[in-house]
Amino acid sequence: MQRAADLARAGYTHHVGGVIELDKLQRLADRFVERYRIDRDKSNVYKATQRGEAVARLLSWCDEKSARAHWVLMLRPEKALTDAGTVKRRGNAVVLDQAEKWRDLTTAGGRLTLTGYELVRETKPAPKRAAPPAQETPASPLTKKEAKAAAEKAARAAQAKAVKKKQDDFVWTWRYEKTRLENLRSMIINAIRAGRHADIAVLIRDTWATPGFSGARKQVIAIASLIRAEWTRSGRSLDTLKLPEHLGYLRRIPDAGCTLSTLRRRLVLAENRRLKKAAAEEQPQLDLNVG
């Protein structure tokens, strides 16, 4: 999830993904190597982006309890160099291989989803602005030529500042999908009103185990307010409600995965442990009360 948010922040705004059998993942990766050159290292990726080429990266995740892998191919759209040498998208449109069913992260219908979470772009809160510095009065009035040059310089600086501000005003984060959030709220409300304390404890534990992305943290804080309101509405004292004191923040995880062969070995070991445990449970117990 961190890697997908990092790539979105770097301009990888288009994606396609799915679930595949682990045995077929290598074949899928080979196809993407041939079509999108996902095997390039960081240096070659940087050089490709400087040339305006599209670059892509394949992310995959596999639960060791299953032999199926979730995968997502994220692509930074191709750009074209203008005569002036600057990078500009061709006709304000991306150039993509239409053989894939690409979705755009920046649109509501193209969001990346994973296990009930969605990757969204949120606006950063506006920082407190300091008072502008006092402008110095020029020692002598400017000529028309100097005034025009100063105005053009100020306009260019303002334009550059506006572009940077636009880039810094947004942050990519994960949060609950709308359906999952509504289901969670309904389960909490029903459990509190029915007095199912064991269910309430499980829901609180699972909710506070939510990954600490800023978007999800806001939702958990809102759920905490909902729990307190429903608890009071049901006639109970807040002194009897025990909520975790702290909600964990997200820790940066190194960008390091494992090879497909290593993952296969882990799955084989996990399956062997499962079979050994099942066999031990099926062994008949000796009856020591004979005679």
Side-chain angles (χ1 to χ4, degrees):
M1 295 174 78
Q2 277 189 359
R3 298 292 80 78
D6 292 341
L7 291 175
R9 194 177 303 114
Y12 291 69
T13 56
H14 288 69
H15 68 97
V16 62
V19 182
I20 193 172
E21 297 293 334
L22 189 61
D23 293 338
K24 300 178 181 179
L25 183 60
Q26 185 62 58
R27 191 187 315 165
L28 178 72
D30 292 340
R31 178 162 67 91
F32 289 152
V33 167
E34 180 181 356
R35 183 173 297 179
Y36 301 107
R37 298 187 60 189
I38 61 172
D39 58 338
R40 290 186 286 198
D41 57 20
K42 292 183 179 180
S43 175
N44 287 322
V45 167
Y46 174 77
K47 293 176 181 178
T49 57
Q50 293 300 104
R51 293 191 298 265
E53 298 178 9
V55 292
R57 183 170 177 188
L58 177 64
L59 303 176
S60 61
W61 169 78
C62 180
D63 186 353
E64 293 189 359
K65 298 179 181 179
S66 170
R68 296 172 65 84
H70 298 262
W71 64 271
V72 56
L73 177 70
M74 300 188 67
L75 181 138
R76 179 172 176 168
E78 180 180 358
K79 300 180 181 180
L81 294 177
T82 65
D83 295 336
T86 57
V87 177
K88 182 180 180 181
R89 286 188 178 179
R90 295 177 180 171
N92 294 325
V94 295
V95 181
L96 300 173
D97 185 348
Q98 296 304 323
E100 310 290 351
K101 297 181 180 179
W102 295 105
R103 304 178 70 186
D104 190 347
L105 286 174
T106 60
T107 62
R111 290 173 179 165
L112 175 59
T113 59
L114 179 65
T115 62
Y117 296 92
E118 61 180 2
L119 183 61
V120 296
R121 185 174 63 174
E122 291 187 345
T123 305
K124 287 184 179 180
K128 295 182 179 180
R129 298 183 179 274
Q135 296 183 353
E136 297 181 358
T137 305
S140 59
L142 300 176
T143 64
K144 290 184 179 180
K145 185 176 181 179
E146 291 173 339
K148 183 179 179 180
E152 292 176 351
K153 182 179 179 181
R156 289 194 299 269
Q159 184 178 6
K161 184 177 180 180
V163 171
K164 186 177 185 304
K165 181 178 183 300
K166 185 177 180 180
Q167 295 173 346
D168 294 342
D169 280 348
F170 298 99
V171 60
W172 287 96
T173 184
W174 289 88
R175 70 182 184 189
Y176 283 120
E177 289 186 87
K178 183 178 180 180
T179 302
R180 181 175 179 182
L181 180 62
E182 291 177 349
N183 290 339
L184 179 59
R185 288 172 56 90
S186 297
M187 288 190 294
I188 289 174
I189 292 174
N190 293 335
I192 293 177
R193 292 179 179 179
R196 301 196 302 268
H197 296 288
D199 293 345
I200 297 171
V202 172
L203 288 169
I204 291 175
R205 181 200 64 194
D206 293 346
T207 301
W208 261 256
T210 298
F213 294 95
S214 60
R217 282 179 56 84
K218 294 176 185 177
Q219 292 175 320
V220 174
I221 292 173
I223 289 174
S225 300
L226 171 68
I227 293 174
R228 294 188 185 94
E230 285 297 325
W231 196 264
T232 303
R233 190 176 292 111
S234 63
R236 302 181 179 91
S237 172
L238 288 177
D239 295 336
T240 61
L241 176 63
K242 295 182 180 180
L243 293 178
E245 296 182 1
H246 303 289
L247 179 61
Y249 285 90
L250 189 69
R251 295 185 297 107
R252 290 292 305 176
I253 299 176
D255 186 4
C258 68
T259 62
L260 189 57
S261 58
T262 301
L263 181 58
R264 287 199 183 101
R265 286 197 297 271
R266 290 178 180 176
L267 290 174
V268 170
L269 292 174
E271 180 64 13
N272 290 340
R273 288 194 298 268
R274 187 188 67 81
L275 294 176
K276 186 176 180 180
K277 181 178 179 181
E281 292 175 351
E282 291 177 358
Q283 288 181 355
Q285 299 293 328
L286 296 176
D287 189 1
L288 301 179
N289 296 323
V290 178

